[in-house]
Amino acid sequence: MRLLVTSDAVGGVWEYTVELAHALARSGVEVIVACLGPPPSASQRAMIRPDEPLGADAQAGSVTLMETDLPLDWLCADAAPVLAAGQAIAALAAALDVDLVQLNMPTLAAAGPMPVPAIAVTHGCVGTWWEAARPGVPLARDYRWHSVLTATGLRAVDRVVAPSAAYGAIVQRRYGLADAPVTVHNGRSPLCLDKPDAPPGDLALTVGRLWDGVKNAALLDRVAARLPIPFLAAGAVRGPHGETVRLDHLRPLGQLSAAQLGSHLAQRPIFVSAARFEPFGLAVLEAAQAGCALVLSDTPTFRELWEEAALFVPLDAHGEDHAAWCDAIEALMLDAARRRDLAAAARDRAARYTPAATAARMLALYRELIAARPSASKVAA
């Protein structure tokens, strides 16, 4: 099977794509990753060609990177360049004679049907993000074109996939889809920990796009002011459109490499996410794999993924109840047994969310769609 997968190097979609591609290669799939938006860094490019072998039982698949110079939808000012990018991806799929296209940017499908079966994986979009960031406020006019393209693209593909059932329900409602997206949970390989058996550290950690209001870094900054332990924050404080967040009490670590993040997670801090909006949450999974106790916002996505394996804190209407977060974190600091039990439960739950499990579910979808609608060139051959 030859597969064309679109990706970008700006956020978590890159890690998702690389992990999925290598897991598919172990099943004999030839994966071509078409990168849109800003070019990947040297370390990101290196992820495409890992040093470790596929393994003796692996089939002879492959992963190839193509840097397309095509734009990323949410960095565009209007629909025209996104539609042009969609047409370019369709032409690329035909030229490469692939069996199926996986679009990790559903707006690309709005330009028209692909020459082969197509799956859209909805990792997040402007419309659903806006609902969480500005509840009750209509989508700004400047972003309405994006919502229209997303709706068109989701209807144009053969199947829509979401990384959680909770987010799939949001997408179905937002865009009026007749069928709910298929749920395929994300997978992640555990980060390398320099001290995997270290005792839990007296500190807290949050990871994410700190500039993004839905991640609630401002709330956690107020929490950090009251905690008797250091509260570290990894991630960018400035967004691509100039968004910023002021942090007076959180200790910013900046953008971390996988090795750097692994070093912090090896200290087994209490991991905290107060996100109001999270389609999946790879950072939470990484922390759980490292054996961190989790304190999470009480949202449908986090409940779906981490029920009985995390401590949940309700978000008030304005997401400003920092006292409840302080109480939850301090309670774990004072109760070593409970912290240990939660950490063990999180690690056990994380074992479900592997690249191999994600790839197996996606491969079944690929085969189903290819069998139902083989391309004209394949039929002719």
Side-chain angles (χ1 to χ4, degrees), residues 119-146:
I119 287 178
V121 182
T122 174
H123 299 277
C125 68
V126 171
T128 54
W129 172 88
W130 185 277
E131 285 187 350
R134 297 169 175 81
V137 179
L139 184 65
R141 184 179 301 274
D142 289 347
Y143 300 126
R144 291 175 190 171
W145 64 267
H146 189 283

Side-chain angles (χ1 to χ4, degrees), residues 115-368:
V116 292
I119 287 178
V121 182
T122 174
H123 299 277
C125 68
V126 171
T128 54
W129 172 88
W130 185 277
E131 285 187 350
R134 297 169 175 81
V137 179
L139 184 65
R141 184 179 301 274
D142 289 347
Y143 300 126
R144 291 175 190 171
W145 64 267
H146 189 283
S147 188
V148 170
L149 289 195
T150 299
T152 303
L154 291 173
R155 291 183 174 87
V157 296
D158 297 275
R159 198 65 54 86
V160 178
V161 171
S164 64
Y167 183 60
I170 293 172
V171 170
Q172 183 181 21
R173 173 187 52 76
R174 170 78 190 185
Y175 296 105
L177 302 181
D179 298 315
V182 177
T183 302
V184 180
H185 292 141
N186 288 345
R188 186 81 168 99
S189 297
L191 297 177
C192 182
L193 306 181
D194 51 6
K195 297 179 180 178
D197 298 320
D202 291 333
L203 71 163
L205 172 70
T206 191
V207 178
R209 298 188 305 270
L210 304 177
W211 55 267
D212 187 346
V214 300
K215 303 302 183 184
N216 254 339
L219 165 65
L220 295 183
D221 193 55
R222 293 192 293 274
V223 172
R226 288 186 46 181
L227 289 180
I229 58 173
F231 197 162
L232 312 183
V237 296
R238 178 176 294 274
H241 297 295
E243 307 94 333
T244 59
V245 62
R246 176 175 173 174
L247 303 179
D248 296 318
H249 306 288
L250 285 169
R251 299 187 185 182
L253 301 173
Q255 288 283 94
L256 300 181
S257 67
Q260 291 170 325
L261 179 57
S263 180
H264 283 283
L265 290 177
Q267 300 178 65
R268 296 173 64 195
I270 294 173
F271 185 88
V272 184
S273 175
R276 296 195 300 273
F277 173 76
E278 193 67 86
F280 183 83
L282 283 175
V284 181
L285 175 54
E286 291 168 341
Q289 290 170 329
C292 299
L294 307 177
V295 178
L296 307 176
S297 51
D298 195 352
T299 65
T301 295
F302 285 156
R303 282 283 182 180
E304 174 185 340
L305 299 171
W306 304 105
E307 183 74 68
E308 299 182 352
L311 186 60
F312 294 97
V313 180
L315 288 171
D316 67 6
H318 304 288
E320 296 178 349
D321 185 9
H322 62 281
W325 290 89
C326 292
D327 292 344
I329 296 169
E330 289 181 337
L332 283 187
M333 288 299 306
L334 297 173
D335 191 338
R338 189 182 186 198
R339 181 177 178 182
R340 183 177 58 250
D341 291 345
L342 277 178
R347 179 174 272 166
D348 288 345
R349 181 65 53 79
R352 299 180 183 180
Y353 309 128
T354 66
T358 304
R361 186 71 180 95
M362 294 301 293
L363 190 54
L365 287 176
Y366 302 156
R367 289 173 173 155
E368 175 188 333

